[in-house]
Amino acid sequence: MEKTKILIIEDEAAIADILEYGLNMEGYETEKAYSGANGLKALASFKPDLLILDWMLPDQSGLDICKQVTASYNIPILMITAKSDITDKILGLEFGADDYITKPFDLREVIARIRTILRRVAQANRHADGNTEQEDQVIRFKEIEIAVSERVVKKSGKEIELTPKEYDLLLKLYTNRGKIFTRTELLDYVWGYDYTGDTRTVDTHIQRLRKKLDAADLITTVFSIGYKFNKHVDTSYDSHD
């Protein structure tokens, strides 16, 4: 059985070594990189199942790395940083991080969070394996097309670049047309755990979706509650390849 692989991008060697030691003791296979550039190279060659990413790197921001990773890979990201302000936490999540932990940290908490993230990914994969028909579906409405198995969204034939979380949010709302979701419910679904911080991050994602898809009439705000997808959207173009 192959070991779960974790890439650590952290410029402080002592912290990287502690993480490596603890994760190896838990049975994970690890690789370290001390800069963003080397981390991106290791990402392509090592092909990790999870990324531990430091916010402050010597050559570029961890946020920039996070953005690049979520645009090209579908792997979870745990950000580790000295920044503890809630605004910074929201920013990290908005850039695609799955979880966030501040320095100094307890190694046991890092491992617990990693287990939670990986368990959520495994559950999502099992769910996808049991829904082959849905995965093969191509959803079409108005000028928008969603190829579910490829996680590709197009508008008028042109591919729209969505982050993994923007895509998950769109599909969640669409497949539950007419249902009102609170911001907390959407955060819990998109990030996979109960989020106790500021819920403004979901507002940001909704705004981006509306702008990218020109879909202000499709994703509507329910005052003081949250959001819903227009129940009366024309879905007559749903099909299977």
PDB file of all heavy atoms in Angstrom, residues 7-11 31-45 53-54 56-62 64-66 68-69 73:
ATOM      1  N   LEU A   7       3.911  17.250   0.936  1.00  0.00           N
ATOM      2  CA  LEU A   7       4.991  18.187   0.613  1.00  0.00           C
ATOM      3  C   LEU A   7       4.969  19.337   1.612  1.00  0.00           C
ATOM      4  O   LEU A   7       3.912  19.928   1.865  1.00  0.00           O
ATOM      5  CB  LEU A   7       4.818  18.727  -0.812  1.00  0.00           C
ATOM      6  CG  LEU A   7       5.780  19.829  -1.248  1.00  0.00           C
ATOM      7  CD1 LEU A   7       7.220  19.329  -1.231  1.00  0.00           C
ATOM      8  CD2 LEU A   7       5.405  20.352  -2.637  1.00  0.00           C
ATOM      9  N   ILE A   8       6.131  19.655   2.160  1.00  0.00           N
ATOM     10  CA  ILE A   8       6.271  20.751   3.127  1.00  0.00           C
ATOM     11  C   ILE A   8       7.055  21.879   2.462  1.00  0.00           C
ATOM     12  O   ILE A   8       8.232  21.713   2.121  1.00  0.00           O
ATOM     13  CB  ILE A   8       7.022  20.276   4.386  1.00  0.00           C
ATOM     14  CG1 ILE A   8       6.307  19.079   5.025  1.00  0.00           C
ATOM     15  CG2 ILE A   8       7.172  21.418   5.389  1.00  0.00           C
ATOM     16  CD1 ILE A   8       7.175  18.336   6.034  1.00  0.00           C
ATOM     17  N   ILE A   9       6.422  23.024   2.277  1.00  0.00           N
ATOM     18  CA  ILE A   9       7.114  24.213   1.761  1.00  0.00           C
ATOM     19  C   ILE A   9       7.244  25.189   2.922  1.00  0.00           C
ATOM     20  O   ILE A   9       6.284  25.871   3.292  1.00  0.00           O
ATOM     21  CB  ILE A   9       6.364  24.853   0.579  1.00  0.00           C
ATOM     22  CG1 ILE A   9       6.128  23.829  -0.536  1.00  0.00           C
ATOM     23  CG2 ILE A   9       7.155  26.047   0.035  1.00  0.00           C
ATOM     24  CD1 ILE A   9       5.377  24.394  -1.736  1.00  0.00           C
ATOM     25  N   GLU A  10       8.415  25.233   3.507  1.00  0.00           N
ATOM     26  CA  GLU A  10       8.676  26.013   4.720  1.00  0.00           C
ATOM     27  C   GLU A  10      10.137  26.428   4.720  1.00  0.00           C
ATOM     28  O   GLU A  10      11.023  25.580   4.606  1.00  0.00           O
ATOM     29  CB  GLU A  10       8.340  25.165   5.945  1.00  0.00           C
ATOM     30  CG  GLU A  10       8.878  25.661   7.257  1.00  0.00           C
ATOM     31  CD  GLU A  10       8.310  27.007   7.675  1.00  0.00           C
ATOM     32  OE1 GLU A  10       7.088  27.076   7.922  1.00  0.00           O
ATOM     33  OE2 GLU A  10       9.106  27.976   7.737  1.00  0.00           O
ATOM     34  N   ASP A  11      10.405  27.752   4.846  1.00  0.00           N
ATOM     35  CA  ASP A  11      11.779  28.222   4.739  1.00  0.00           C
ATOM     36  C   ASP A  11      12.564  28.108   6.041  1.00  0.00           C
ATOM     37  O   ASP A  11      13.794  28.185   6.034  1.00  0.00           O
ATOM     38  CB  ASP A  11      11.802  29.670   4.243  1.00  0.00           C
ATOM     39  CG  ASP A  11      11.169  30.637   5.221  1.00  0.00           C
ATOM     40  OD1 ASP A  11      10.094  30.295   5.765  1.00  0.00           O
ATOM     41  OD2 ASP A  11      11.727  31.726   5.438  1.00  0.00           O
ATOM     42  N   GLU A  31       8.386  15.281   1.669  1.00  0.00           N
ATOM     43  CA  GLU A  31       9.481  15.954   0.965  1.00  0.00           C
ATOM     44  C   GLU A  31       9.432  17.415   1.379  1.00  0.00           C
ATOM     45  O   GLU A  31       8.351  17.978   1.601  1.00  0.00           O
ATOM     46  CB  GLU A  31       9.336  15.805  -0.549  1.00  0.00           C
ATOM     47  CG  GLU A  31      10.536  16.373  -1.312  1.00  0.00           C
ATOM     48  CD  GLU A  31      10.584  15.909  -2.761  1.00  0.00           C
ATOM     49  OE1 GLU A  31      10.298  14.733  -3.017  1.00  0.00           O
ATOM     50  OE2 GLU A  31      10.912  16.741  -3.621  1.00  0.00           O
ATOM     51  N   LYS A  32      10.624  18.043   1.472  1.00  0.00           N
ATOM     52  CA  LYS A  32      10.702  19.430   1.924  1.00  0.00           C
ATOM     53  C   LYS A  32      11.219  20.338   0.811  1.00  0.00           C
ATOM     54  O   LYS A  32      12.020  19.925  -0.028  1.00  0.00           O
ATOM     55  CB  LYS A  32      11.635  19.546   3.132  1.00  0.00           C
ATOM     56  CG  LYS A  32      11.185  18.802   4.367  1.00  0.00           C
ATOM     57  CD  LYS A  32      12.193  18.942   5.504  1.00  0.00           C
ATOM     58  CE  LYS A  32      13.515  18.288   5.170  1.00  0.00           C
ATOM     59  NZ  LYS A  32      14.468  18.311   6.309  1.00  0.00           N
ATOM     60  N   ALA A  33      10.750  21.583   0.841  1.00  0.00           N
ATOM     61  CA  ALA A  33      11.277  22.628  -0.035  1.00  0.00           C
ATOM     62  C   ALA A  33      11.335  23.905   0.791  1.00  0.00           C
ATOM     63  O   ALA A  33      10.445  24.173   1.600  1.00  0.00           O
ATOM     64  CB  ALA A  33      10.392  22.806  -1.260  1.00  0.00           C
ATOM     65  N   TYR A  34      12.395  24.695   0.583  1.00  0.00           N
ATOM     66  CA  TYR A  34      12.614  25.870   1.420  1.00  0.00           C
ATOM     67  C   TYR A  34      12.301  27.192   0.706  1.00  0.00           C
ATOM     68  O   TYR A  34      12.552  28.266   1.254  1.00  0.00           O
ATOM     69  CB  TYR A  34      14.053  25.886   1.926  1.00  0.00           C
ATOM     70  CG  TYR A  34      14.397  24.663   2.741  1.00  0.00           C
ATOM     71  CD1 TYR A  34      15.233  23.677   2.214  1.00  0.00           C
ATOM     72  CD2 TYR A  34      13.891  24.478   4.020  1.00  0.00           C
ATOM     73  CE1 TYR A  34      15.547  22.538   2.953  1.00  0.00           C
ATOM     74  CE2 TYR A  34      14.203  23.345   4.764  1.00  0.00           C
ATOM     75  CZ  TYR A  34      15.027  22.380   4.224  1.00  0.00           C
ATOM     76  OH  TYR A  34      15.336  21.255   4.956  1.00  0.00           O
ATOM     77  N   SER A  35      11.758  27.116  -0.496  1.00  0.00           N
ATOM     78  CA  SER A  35      11.366  28.319  -1.230  1.00  0.00           C
ATOM     79  C   SER A  35      10.167  28.005  -2.104  1.00  0.00           C
ATOM     80  O   SER A  35       9.867  26.824  -2.364  1.00  0.00           O
ATOM     81  CB  SER A  35      12.520  28.840  -2.101  1.00  0.00           C
ATOM     82  OG  SER A  35      12.769  27.942  -3.174  1.00  0.00           O
ATOM     83  N   GLY A  36       9.513  29.056  -2.566  1.00  0.00           N
ATOM     84  CA  GLY A  36       8.359  28.848  -3.421  1.00  0.00           C
ATOM     85  C   GLY A  36       8.717  28.198  -4.746  1.00  0.00           C
ATOM     86  O   GLY A  36       8.034  27.289  -5.210  1.00  0.00           O
ATOM     87  N   ALA A  37       9.816  28.647  -5.349  1.00  0.00           N
ATOM     88  CA  ALA A  37      10.233  28.101  -6.646  1.00  0.00           C
ATOM     89  C   ALA A  37      10.546  26.619  -6.543  1.00  0.00           C
ATOM     90  O   ALA A  37      10.101  25.809  -7.367  1.00  0.00           O
ATOM     91  CB  ALA A  37      11.445  28.873  -7.166  1.00  0.00           C
ATOM     92  N   ASN A  38      11.323  26.245  -5.524  1.00  0.00           N
ATOM     93  CA  ASN A  38      11.651  24.836  -5.339  1.00  0.00           C
ATOM     94  C   ASN A  38      10.420  24.028  -4.948  1.00  0.00           C
ATOM     95  O   ASN A  38      10.293  22.847  -5.294  1.00  0.00           O
ATOM     96  CB  ASN A  38      12.734  24.675  -4.281  1.00  0.00           C
ATOM     97  CG  ASN A  38      14.091  25.155  -4.767  1.00  0.00           C
ATOM     98  OD1 ASN A  38      14.367  25.145  -5.965  1.00  0.00           O
ATOM     99  ND2 ASN A  38      14.941  25.589  -3.838  1.00  0.00           N
ATOM    100  N   GLY A  39       9.521  24.668  -4.227  1.00  0.00           N
ATOM    101  CA  GLY A  39       8.291  23.988  -3.835  1.00  0.00           C
ATOM    102  C   GLY A  39       7.432  23.635  -5.037  1.00  0.00           C
ATOM    103  O   GLY A  39       6.873  22.535  -5.111  1.00  0.00           O
ATOM    104  N   LEU A  40       7.336  24.561  -5.994  1.00  0.00           N
ATOM    105  CA  LEU A  40       6.547  24.293  -7.199  1.00  0.00           C
ATOM    106  C   LEU A  40       7.180  23.186  -8.037  1.00  0.00           C
ATOM    107  O   LEU A  40       6.477  22.373  -8.645  1.00  0.00           O
ATOM    108  CB  LEU A  40       6.398  25.577  -8.018  1.00  0.00           C
ATOM    109  CG  LEU A  40       5.485  26.648  -7.410  1.00  0.00           C
ATOM    110  CD1 LEU A  40       5.546  27.936  -8.221  1.00  0.00           C
ATOM    111  CD2 LEU A  40       4.045  26.141  -7.318  1.00  0.00           C
ATOM    112  N   LYS A  41       8.512  23.148  -8.066  1.00  0.00           N
ATOM    113  CA  LYS A  41       9.192  22.071  -8.787  1.00  0.00           C
ATOM    114  C   LYS A  41       8.920  20.722  -8.109  1.00  0.00           C
ATOM    115  O   LYS A  41       8.643  19.721  -8.767  1.00  0.00           O
ATOM    116  CB  LYS A  41      10.702  22.328  -8.829  1.00  0.00           C
ATOM    117  CG  LYS A  41      11.112  23.495  -9.708  1.00  0.00           C
ATOM    118  CD  LYS A  41      12.622  23.710  -9.661  1.00  0.00           C
ATOM    119  CE  LYS A  41      13.041  24.904 -10.513  1.00  0.00           C
ATOM    120  NZ  LYS A  41      14.506  25.150 -10.417  1.00  0.00           N
ATOM    121  N   ALA A  42       8.986  20.718  -6.776  1.00  0.00           N
ATOM    122  CA  ALA A  42       8.734  19.486  -6.030  1.00  0.00           C
ATOM    123  C   ALA A  42       7.283  19.042  -6.180  1.00  0.00           C
ATOM    124  O   ALA A  42       6.990  17.843  -6.207  1.00  0.00           O
ATOM    125  CB  ALA A  42       9.065  19.699  -4.553  1.00  0.00           C
ATOM    126  N   LEU A  43       6.405  19.997  -6.297  1.00  0.00           N
ATOM    127  CA  LEU A  43       4.980  19.692  -6.461  1.00  0.00           C
ATOM    128  C   LEU A  43       4.761  18.875  -7.731  1.00  0.00           C
ATOM    129  O   LEU A  43       3.999  17.899  -7.738  1.00  0.00           O
ATOM    130  CB  LEU A  43       4.173  20.991  -6.525  1.00  0.00           C
ATOM    131  CG  LEU A  43       2.658  20.884  -6.379  1.00  0.00           C
ATOM    132  CD1 LEU A  43       2.284  20.435  -4.974  1.00  0.00           C
ATOM    133  CD2 LEU A  43       2.013  22.224  -6.694  1.00  0.00           C
ATOM    134  N   ALA A  44       5.448  19.263  -8.804  1.00  0.00           N
ATOM    135  CA  ALA A  44       5.290  18.577 -10.083  1.00  0.00           C
ATOM    136  C   ALA A  44       5.942  17.201 -10.080  1.00  0.00           C
ATOM    137  O   ALA A  44       5.412  16.254 -10.667  1.00  0.00           O
ATOM    138  CB  ALA A  44       5.868  19.438 -11.202  1.00  0.00           C
ATOM    139  N   SER A  45       7.080  17.064  -9.390  1.00  0.00           N
ATOM    140  CA  SER A  45       7.806  15.788  -9.414  1.00  0.00           C
ATOM    141  C   SER A  45       7.361  14.822  -8.320  1.00  0.00           C
ATOM    142  O   SER A  45       7.246  13.618  -8.541  1.00  0.00           O
ATOM    143  CB  SER A  45       9.312  16.040  -9.281  1.00  0.00           C
ATOM    144  OG  SER A  45       9.605  16.720  -8.065  1.00  0.00           O
ATOM    145  N   LEU A  53       1.966  24.522   3.594  1.00  0.00           N
ATOM    146  CA  LEU A  53       2.530  25.715   2.956  1.00  0.00           C
ATOM    147  C   LEU A  53       2.706  26.858   3.942  1.00  0.00           C
ATOM    148  O   LEU A  53       1.751  27.266   4.608  1.00  0.00           O
ATOM    149  CB  LEU A  53       1.595  26.146   1.812  1.00  0.00           C
ATOM    150  CG  LEU A  53       1.945  27.423   1.052  1.00  0.00           C
ATOM    151  CD1 LEU A  53       3.280  27.276   0.328  1.00  0.00           C
ATOM    152  CD2 LEU A  53       0.839  27.754   0.050  1.00  0.00           C
ATOM    153  N   ASP A  54       3.925  27.374   4.023  1.00  0.00           N
ATOM    154  CA  ASP A  54       4.205  28.529   4.872  1.00  0.00           C
ATOM    155  C   ASP A  54       3.756  29.805   4.170  1.00  0.00           C
ATOM    156  O   ASP A  54       3.916  29.949   2.957  1.00  0.00           O
ATOM    157  CB  ASP A  54       5.706  28.594   5.176  1.00  0.00           C
ATOM    158  CG  ASP A  54       6.046  29.724   6.127  1.00  0.00           C
ATOM    159  OD1 ASP A  54       5.203  30.070   6.975  1.00  0.00           O
ATOM    160  OD2 ASP A  54       7.151  30.281   6.014  1.00  0.00           O
ATOM    161  N   MET A  56       4.926  32.957   4.693  1.00  0.00           N
ATOM    162  CA  MET A  56       6.047  33.853   4.382  1.00  0.00           C
ATOM    163  C   MET A  56       7.220  33.044   3.852  1.00  0.00           C
ATOM    164  O   MET A  56       7.864  32.309   4.591  1.00  0.00           O
ATOM    165  CB  MET A  56       6.461  34.630   5.635  1.00  0.00           C
ATOM    166  CG  MET A  56       5.346  35.471   6.244  1.00  0.00           C
ATOM    167  SD  MET A  56       4.801  36.816   5.153  1.00  0.00           S
ATOM    168  CE  MET A  56       6.238  37.879   5.265  1.00  0.00           C
ATOM    169  N   LEU A  57       7.493  33.190   2.568  1.00  0.00           N
ATOM    170  CA  LEU A  57       8.610  32.496   1.939  1.00  0.00           C
ATOM    171  C   LEU A  57       9.623  33.514   1.425  1.00  0.00           C
ATOM    172  O   LEU A  57       9.264  34.671   1.173  1.00  0.00           O
ATOM    173  CB  LEU A  57       8.103  31.619   0.789  1.00  0.00           C
ATOM    174  CG  LEU A  57       7.207  30.448   1.205  1.00  0.00           C
ATOM    175  CD1 LEU A  57       6.531  29.832  -0.012  1.00  0.00           C
ATOM    176  CD2 LEU A  57       8.007  29.395   1.965  1.00  0.00           C
ATOM    177  N   PRO A  58      10.893  33.136   1.258  1.00  0.00           N
ATOM    178  CA  PRO A  58      11.919  34.116   0.897  1.00  0.00           C
ATOM    179  C   PRO A  58      11.772  34.701  -0.499  1.00  0.00           C
ATOM    180  O   PRO A  58      12.199  35.833  -0.742  1.00  0.00           O
ATOM    181  CB  PRO A  58      13.224  33.317   1.017  1.00  0.00           C
ATOM    182  CG  PRO A  58      12.816  31.894   0.842  1.00  0.00           C
ATOM    183  CD  PRO A  58      11.465  31.797   1.484  1.00  0.00           C
ATOM    184  N   ASP A  59      11.183  33.958  -1.425  1.00  0.00           N
ATOM    185  CA  ASP A  59      11.132  34.431  -2.807  1.00  0.00           C
ATOM    186  C   ASP A  59       9.760  34.894  -3.264  1.00  0.00           C
ATOM    187  O   ASP A  59       9.642  35.693  -4.188  1.00  0.00           O
ATOM    188  CB  ASP A  59      11.643  33.351  -3.771  1.00  0.00           C
ATOM    189  CG  ASP A  59      10.897  32.037  -3.611  1.00  0.00           C
ATOM    190  OD1 ASP A  59      10.239  31.837  -2.565  1.00  0.00           O
ATOM    191  OD2 ASP A  59      10.974  31.206  -4.535  1.00  0.00           O
ATOM    192  N   GLN A  60       8.702  34.401  -2.625  1.00  0.00           N
ATOM    193  CA  GLN A  60       7.353  34.826  -2.990  1.00  0.00           C
ATOM    194  C   GLN A  60       6.388  34.479  -1.874  1.00  0.00           C
ATOM    195  O   GLN A  60       6.685  33.670  -1.001  1.00  0.00           O
ATOM    196  CB  GLN A  60       6.907  34.186  -4.301  1.00  0.00           C
ATOM    197  CG  GLN A  60       6.968  32.675  -4.344  1.00  0.00           C
ATOM    198  CD  GLN A  60       6.646  32.133  -5.719  1.00  0.00           C
ATOM    199  OE1 GLN A  60       5.580  32.371  -6.267  1.00  0.00           O
ATOM    200  NE2 GLN A  60       7.596  31.400  -6.298  1.00  0.00           N
ATOM    201  N   SER A  61       5.216  35.120  -1.919  1.00  0.00           N
ATOM    202  CA  SER A  61       4.225  34.916  -0.875  1.00  0.00           C
ATOM    203  C   SER A  61       3.604  33.525  -0.971  1.00  0.00           C
ATOM    204  O   SER A  61       3.353  33.018  -2.067  1.00  0.00           O
ATOM    205  CB  SER A  61       3.133  35.980  -0.997  1.00  0.00           C
ATOM    206  OG  SER A  61       2.013  35.664  -0.194  1.00  0.00           O
ATOM    207  N   GLY A  62       3.343  32.945   0.194  1.00  0.00           N
ATOM    208  CA  GLY A  62       2.639  31.679   0.219  1.00  0.00           C
ATOM    209  C   GLY A  62       1.259  31.791  -0.400  1.00  0.00           C
ATOM    210  O   GLY A  62       0.727  30.822  -0.951  1.00  0.00           O
ATOM    211  N   ASP A  64       0.528  33.566  -3.038  1.00  0.00           N
ATOM    212  CA  ASP A  64       0.715  33.420  -4.488  1.00  0.00           C
ATOM    213  C   ASP A  64       0.886  31.950  -4.860  1.00  0.00           C
ATOM    214  O   ASP A  64       0.350  31.480  -5.866  1.00  0.00           O
ATOM    215  CB  ASP A  64       1.931  34.220  -4.952  1.00  0.00           C
ATOM    216  CG  ASP A  64       1.702  35.721  -4.856  1.00  0.00           C
ATOM    217  OD1 ASP A  64       0.536  36.142  -4.899  1.00  0.00           O
ATOM    218  OD2 ASP A  64       2.691  36.464  -4.729  1.00  0.00           O
ATOM    219  N   ILE A  65       1.639  31.219  -4.039  1.00  0.00           N
ATOM    220  CA  ILE A  65       1.818  29.786  -4.271  1.00  0.00           C
ATOM    221  C   ILE A  65       0.468  29.075  -4.171  1.00  0.00           C
ATOM    222  O   ILE A  65       0.126  28.226  -5.004  1.00  0.00           O
ATOM    223  CB  ILE A  65       2.796  29.178  -3.250  1.00  0.00           C
ATOM    224  CG1 ILE A  65       4.190  29.792  -3.395  1.00  0.00           C
ATOM    225  CG2 ILE A  65       2.852  27.659  -3.405  1.00  0.00           C
ATOM    226  CD1 ILE A  65       4.889  29.435  -4.674  1.00  0.00           C
ATOM    227  N   CYS A  66      -0.295  29.445  -3.160  1.00  0.00           N
ATOM    228  CA  CYS A  66      -1.609  28.846  -2.941  1.00  0.00           C
ATOM    229  C   CYS A  66      -2.500  29.062  -4.165  1.00  0.00           C
ATOM    230  O   CYS A  66      -3.180  28.137  -4.628  1.00  0.00           O
ATOM    231  CB  CYS A  66      -2.253  29.463  -1.699  1.00  0.00           C
ATOM    232  SG  CYS A  66      -3.771  28.665  -1.158  1.00  0.00           S
ATOM    233  N   GLN A  68      -1.546  29.621  -7.284  1.00  0.00           N
ATOM    234  CA  GLN A  68      -1.038  28.835  -8.410  1.00  0.00           C
ATOM    235  C   GLN A  68      -1.392  27.354  -8.271  1.00  0.00           C
ATOM    236  O   GLN A  68      -1.769  26.703  -9.248  1.00  0.00           O
ATOM    237  CB  GLN A  68       0.485  28.982  -8.497  1.00  0.00           C
ATOM    238  CG  GLN A  68       0.958  30.376  -8.869  1.00  0.00           C
ATOM    239  CD  GLN A  68       2.472  30.478  -8.886  1.00  0.00           C
ATOM    240  OE1 GLN A  68       3.149  29.782  -9.649  1.00  0.00           O
ATOM    241  NE2 GLN A  68       3.028  31.340  -8.053  1.00  0.00           N
ATOM    242  N   VAL A  69      -1.289  26.847  -7.052  1.00  0.00           N
ATOM    243  CA  VAL A  69      -1.572  25.425  -6.822  1.00  0.00           C
ATOM    244  C   VAL A  69      -3.039  25.118  -7.070  1.00  0.00           C
ATOM    245  O   VAL A  69      -3.381  24.138  -7.746  1.00  0.00           O
ATOM    246  CB  VAL A  69      -1.166  25.017  -5.392  1.00  0.00           C
ATOM    247  CG1 VAL A  69      -1.652  23.602  -5.074  1.00  0.00           C
ATOM    248  CG2 VAL A  69       0.344  25.097  -5.231  1.00  0.00           C
ATOM    249  N   TYR A  73      -3.784  22.282  -9.616  1.00  0.00           N
ATOM    250  CA  TYR A  73      -3.851  20.985  -8.954  1.00  0.00           C
ATOM    251  C   TYR A  73      -5.106  20.899  -8.087  1.00  0.00           C
ATOM    252  O   TYR A  73      -5.610  21.922  -7.627  1.00  0.00           O
ATOM    253  CB  TYR A  73      -2.630  20.757  -8.058  1.00  0.00           C
ATOM    254  CG  TYR A  73      -1.304  20.783  -8.773  1.00  0.00           C
ATOM    255  CD1 TYR A  73      -0.609  21.986  -8.932  1.00  0.00           C
ATOM    256  CD2 TYR A  73      -0.724  19.622  -9.287  1.00  0.00           C
ATOM    257  CE1 TYR A  73       0.619  22.029  -9.577  1.00  0.00           C
ATOM    258  CE2 TYR A  73       0.503  19.652  -9.938  1.00  0.00           C
ATOM    259  CZ  TYR A  73       1.161  20.854 -10.078  1.00  0.00           C
ATOM    260  OH  TYR A  73       2.370  20.894 -10.726  1.00  0.00           O
TER     261      TYR A  73
END
